[in-house]
Each structure stands twice: as C-alpha cells, then as structure tokens.
Amino acid sequence: MPEITAEETERFLDYVSVWLGGLPALKWAEVEREAGGPDNIAVLAVDVTNGFCKHGNLASKRVGAIVEPIVRLFRAAHERGVRTFILPQDCHPPDSPEFDAYGPHAVCGTDEAETVRELRDLPFSNIFRIMPKRAINVAIDTDLEPWLEKAGTPEAAIVTGDCTDLCVYQLATYLKFRSDARGERALVVVPQDCVDTYDVTVEAAEAAGIIPHPGELMHRLFLYHMMLNGIRVVQRIE
C-alpha cells in the first residue's frame, strides 16, 4: 500500500479548511425557488435526542451545541410554511448488536431515546414525524422508504443532526443517491452549523481501551465527502 506523506496530508487538510472557510450561506428564498415552494421541502433532524445531546455514553458537548441552531432552523422553516419535519431517532433493544461497537445507548423507553426538550417545546412539535431506527443507516428497516414512496421524494431535503460521519452522512447520501437513481435531481442540503460529531482523542482512547475518533477531522472530512457526492453543504440557511 502506498504511503501517505505528512506533506500530502497537510496540503489536503489545508485545502479542506479553505473550502470550509468559504462555505456560503444559503437563502431560504433560494431553497423555496429550487423546491417550488415550502410544500416541497422536508427538514430532517437525525438523532437530536438526549442520549447524544445531553447525557449518556455517547453524549458530547460538540453535538449538544447544535441543538440551538437546529431549533432556529426549525422555527424559520415553519414560519416560511414548511410542514414536513422528519426525526429519525435511535431506539435500540437492550441487546442491540450495535452496542458491540458503540456501547449501550438510546435504549427504547429510556430518556436517552427521547427528543431533546428544545425541539419538543416548539409549538408545532405535534406535526413532527418520529421515525425510530435500530441502525446507523436511517433507511434500513424504518418508515423512511415507505414514507418516501407514499409522499414522494421532497424536491429539497435539509439534513441536520448527528453524527456528521455516521447517521447524517448515511441519511444525506441515501436521499441523494435515491434521487439520482430515479433521475429526480432533488436538492439535498446539509447546513454545517446544524451538524457535528463526537470527539475521542488517541490519548483518551488508549487510556479507555476504545477506538479513537478525532471529532473535528471526521466532521470536516465527511462534510467534504458529502459535497463530493453532490450534496449542497452550506454554512447555514438564512
């Protein structure tokens, strides 16, 4: 296997940093224009739950910090007439095989599997469609595909939540690839201020006997990879 030099790595990471620093904001008016109106826009928030944002084995401050921007985006979307809000959320059985890799989290019926209070308290939370899931890929054995078949692929899908390199990536790429395969050219948007991932340094991982997960690096690389696949990565929607 060819070696990757430190110089090559540094050059590429500098390139990604410049790209991220230059991300534009996207205007709501542009989203509405491309979608053909708010009725054709879906806002999705994956795993914005207590177990990732507040407390539990997989909760982190990085992920908790995206709650406020997501709430603002939900409010703005609703004010502009968007009425489709989809919340795919982990709801695992106590013996989930996924725990072998990530440890116990978001067990069905526990507080960790609940939507964060900030979203539940929104006055229009009664229209949220909660989609329980048991895997990182949001489309496996969930209501997502049946809903898409019944409702039709949204002309614009705004994907928020966590984690950038796990469930957000899987959801955004699924929506984009599904649209591409059907020749539908749906707009899939990921606002950078509304997604993030957790961080485990090499030192902390070695001390705990777990797998390291450099949060900022994974966040940046997977935003970049989504962009490579035709997903509209933006700084924010305003």
Side-chain angles (χ1 to χ4, degrees):
M1 181 180 296
E3 291 188 4
I4 301 174
T5 67
E7 182 181 0
E8 289 173 321
T9 302
E10 184 176 0
R11 187 181 305 121
F12 174 69
L13 292 179
D14 286 345
Y15 178 88
V16 173
S17 293
V18 171
W19 168 71
L20 277 172
L23 285 179
L26 181 62
K27 300 292 186 182
W28 274 109
E30 184 178 348
V31 179
E32 292 167 359
R33 183 169 58 252
E34 293 197 33
D39 289 343
N40 300 321
I41 300 172
V43 178
L44 302 98
V46 58
D47 283 336
V48 187
T49 59
N50 292 326
F52 292 98
C53 302
K54 303 289 185 178
H55 50 258
N57 291 332
L58 299 188
S60 71
K61 291 183 179 179
R62 287 180 62 103
V63 171
I66 65 175
V67 171
E68 184 178 342
I70 291 173
V71 169
R72 287 200 302 266
L73 185 140
F74 269 49
R75 287 187 182 276
H78 190 264
E79 288 171 2
R80 299 192 74 95
V82 175
R83 294 296 181 267
T84 302
F85 297 89
I86 308 296
L87 281 67
Q89 297 177 345
D90 271 4
C91 184
H92 291 297
D95 60 348
S96 172
E98 188 174 297
F99 296 168
D100 295 344
Y102 292 99
H105 63 276
V107 173
C108 295
T110 68
D111 178 67
E112 284 190 24
E114 295 294 323
T115 309
V116 296
R117 176 186 53 77
E118 291 88 338
L119 285 177
R120 294 199 314 269
D121 286 350
L122 288 172
F124 52 92
S125 63
N126 61 302
I127 67 173
F128 294 171
R129 186 182 183 99
I130 307 295
M131 290 186 177
K133 63 185 181 70
R134 294 187 174 189
I136 288 172
N137 190 314
V138 178
I140 297 176
D141 290 337
T142 70
D143 291 337
L144 180 61
E145 184 57 33
W147 174 79
L148 287 168
E149 288 289 349
K150 183 177 180 179
T153 306
E155 295 296 325
I158 300 169
V159 178
T160 71
D162 59 278
C163 291
T164 315
D165 53 318
L166 297 166
C167 296
V168 169
Y169 174 77
Q170 293 280 347
L171 175 56
T173 53
Y174 178 77
L175 293 171
K176 183 66 171 69
F177 296 159
R178 182 183 186 278
S179 170
D180 288 352
R182 296 176 177 226
E184 294 172 338
R185 298 185 182 276
L187 172 65
V188 179
V189 181
V190 173
Q192 192 272 152
D193 67 329
C194 290
V195 299
D196 213 328
T197 192
Y198 69 98
D199 183 72
V200 179
T201 66
V202 172
E203 293 77 14
E206 289 177 344
I210 59 177
I211 299 172
H213 186 273
E216 189 59 29
L217 177 62
M218 303 300 280
H219 176 66
R220 294 180 178 216
L221 290 181
F222 276 79
L223 285 173
Y224 180 81
H225 199 263
M226 285 188 275
M227 178 274 291
L228 281 177
N229 283 286
I231 293 162
R232 185 89 60 90
V233 179
V234 299
Q235 177 59 37
R236 62 187 177 278
I237 301 177
E238 58 185 26

